[in-house]
Amino acid sequence: MNWRDLSQFPQSTLNDDWRVRKGRTVECVGIEHAKKEFACWRVLNRNLVLAPGSHAFLPAILIEGYASDAHGAFILACRKGMLTLFVAILMLYMVSRSTSLSLAGAIQANIALLAIAVFDHLTVVRNITALQERELFGYWVRTQSRTDMYFWTAVMLVAGGIQLLMQERLHGVDELLVRFGAYFPALAQGEYWRVLTGPFLHASLAHWLSNFLSLIPIAMITARICRKACIPLFLVGSAIGVLFVFVFQGHHDAICGVSAGIFALTGFIIMIGFRFPEHFPSHFYKTVLVLSAGDMIIAQCLMPSSSLVAHIAGMLTGIIVGYLLPTSAVSPEILASNHCPNKFTTVEGG
């Protein structure tokens, strides 16, 4: 099943009235209640709507005759969000000018967020077809990559749990990094096994959480493209990130976190999207590239200790692997998703 196929959505033989599916619960509703679903639709909203005469529960943005209502409401919500960001930037600037607080990092991070939002609005959000493609692709990844989501969640939880236990025994994260992390004096003595163990250690709970939230969706998308490449690329990207920092920023004592591995997966997605644009949603690789660049900028603004060298090294690793990957290794489901504007594969009713 490719991501453009509407048969990926829950089917129903009861199509005499408007129905809304919330999780596994199905409610029979009238047109007025259905209109509320159109008015509050957001990307990756889990609520699905069954229109009279249809045989599939669909996102509101895909309901023929009402998609424009959902699209208009979503555009309005996005513009409100961008306006809120702009106001926040102005307020932070005024506070920094009138007080001694240093808010430059927060201001720059919000500017980066606003730039990402504006780019997305201009390329995807205001184009209903592009937005429909994003919704189809997102739903497909979310439902078809659940095993991958559970796997990577378990990996991060186990890594975090082991770190907590070891930190307790060693009385702090610093000693843990010296013993088992990517500690540069130890690497200089030939203990290269640390390039594999070190990235799984994190400086703080916030550091672990940010990597966890970034890794899950990126790994799910990568698995849809080529599951066999996911784990090796993640490990190699993390290791290369460590080695690059060791070589080019050796004045530091250590590096921790799997962000280089995450950027390796991201670079892989960007390159595959660039090579096969017709098999992905409109502006897919550009969107991922802008999000990744924004993520790097925001990380530097809010956490100056984060390593830009490791992030770039990881991304370049993924880009190279994505460029060299044979077409035969790309998922057949992806290659079956040919670009076809304003037309999706539909399922016929019985």
Side-chain angles (χ1 to χ4, degrees):
M1 180 189 300
N2 69 69
W3 61 267
R4 296 180 188 274
D5 195 338
L6 295 185
S7 65
Q8 66 174 301
F9 293 97
Q11 306 295 301
S12 175
T13 56
L14 301 174
N15 58 355
D16 57 330
D17 200 358
W18 289 95
R19 299 175 189 274
V20 175
R21 183 186 179 100
K22 300 179 179 179
R24 295 185 178 181
T25 303
V26 177
E27 301 176 1
C28 184
V29 300
I31 181 61
E32 294 303 320
H33 186 91
K35 285 182 178 179
K36 293 181 181 179
E37 293 294 329
F38 301 135
C40 65
W41 176 82
R42 300 293 182 267
V43 174
L44 300 182
N45 187 333
R46 292 182 179 273
N47 292 356
L48 302 174
V49 179
L50 177 71
S54 176
H55 294 276
F57 285 91
L58 301 173
I61 193 68
L62 296 178
I63 302 295
E64 186 176 357
Y66 294 91
S68 58
D69 296 337
H71 185 224
F74 183 64
I75 286 178
L76 181 60
C78 289
R79 289 175 178 173
K80 288 181 179 178
M82 289 187 287
L83 179 60
T84 300
L85 275 174
F86 181 71
V87 171
I89 292 169
L90 290 179
M91 292 181 65
L92 287 170
Y93 176 74
M94 288 188 291
V95 170
S96 66
R97 289 294 300 271
S98 59
T99 66
S100 58
L101 293 175
S102 177
L103 300 174
I107 294 172
Q108 292 165 0
N110 277 278
I111 291 174
L113 279 174
L114 181 58
I116 293 171
V118 170
F119 172 84
D120 196 50
H121 182 82
L122 294 176
T123 56
V124 176
V125 172
R126 66 178 185 174
N127 184 327
I128 189 170
T129 301
L131 201 58
Q132 288 172 330
E133 291 181 349
R134 174 179 289 181
E135 181 68 11
L136 284 166
F137 186 80
Y139 185 88
W140 178 69
V141 169
R142 191 174 71 233
T143 55
Q144 300 299 313
S145 292
R146 284 175 178 164
T147 302
D148 304 284
M149 179 185 70
Y150 297 145
F151 171 77
W152 289 103
T153 297
V155 167
M156 290 298 289
L157 288 175
V158 169
I162 291 175
Q163 178 172 348
L164 285 176
L165 292 175
M166 296 180 72
Q167 275 185 214
E168 184 68 23
R169 292 189 177 186
L170 297 175
H171 308 292
V173 68
D174 290 342
E175 183 63 24
L176 178 60
L177 287 173
V178 171
R179 294 278 193 93
F180 302 101
Y183 183 55
F184 293 160
L187 277 174
Q189 295 176 4
E191 297 182 14
Y192 295 115
W193 54 268
R194 292 173 178 268
V195 302
L196 295 177
T197 61
F200 287 96
L201 303 178
H202 289 83
S204 64
L205 178 60
H207 185 204
W208 175 88
L209 185 61
S210 65
N211 279 342
F212 171 72
L213 294 176
S214 299
L215 173 61
I216 300 304
I218 293 297
M220 289 171 70
I221 295 173
T222 305
R224 287 293 88 208
I225 296 173
C226 180
R227 178 175 278 118
K228 292 181 180 179
C230 200
I231 296 175
L233 179 56
F234 175 75
L235 294 175
V236 170
S238 297
I240 287 179
V242 171
L243 292 174
F244 264 66
V245 174
F246 175 57
V247 172
F248 296 105
Q249 292 183 313
H251 58 279
H252 294 297
D253 294 322
I255 183 175
C256 58
V258 294
S259 56
I262 297 172
F263 277 106
L265 298 181
T266 305
F268 176 79
I269 292 170
I270 292 169
M271 177 50 68
I272 296 297
F274 176 77
R275 286 177 60 191
F276 307 100
E278 68 277 10
H279 299 294
F280 290 90
S282 299
H283 305 288
F284 177 74
Y285 80 89
K286 297 176 186 176
T287 300
V288 179
L289 178 60
V290 169
L291 284 172
S292 302
D295 188 19
M296 289 184 188
I297 293 171
I298 292 170
Q300 290 296 307
C301 293
L302 299 181
M303 296 177 290
S305 60
S306 65
S307 176
L308 184 61
V309 169
H311 295 170
I312 293 176
M315 178 169 283
L316 290 176
T317 301
I319 289 174
I320 293 170
V321 172
Y323 178 77
L324 297 176
L325 188 78
T327 302
S328 59
V330 179
S331 167
E333 294 177 325
I334 287 290
L335 296 179
S337 305
N338 292 321
H339 183 63
C340 188
N342 299 310
K343 185 178 180 181
F344 302 111
T345 304
T346 58
V347 59
E348 295 181 359

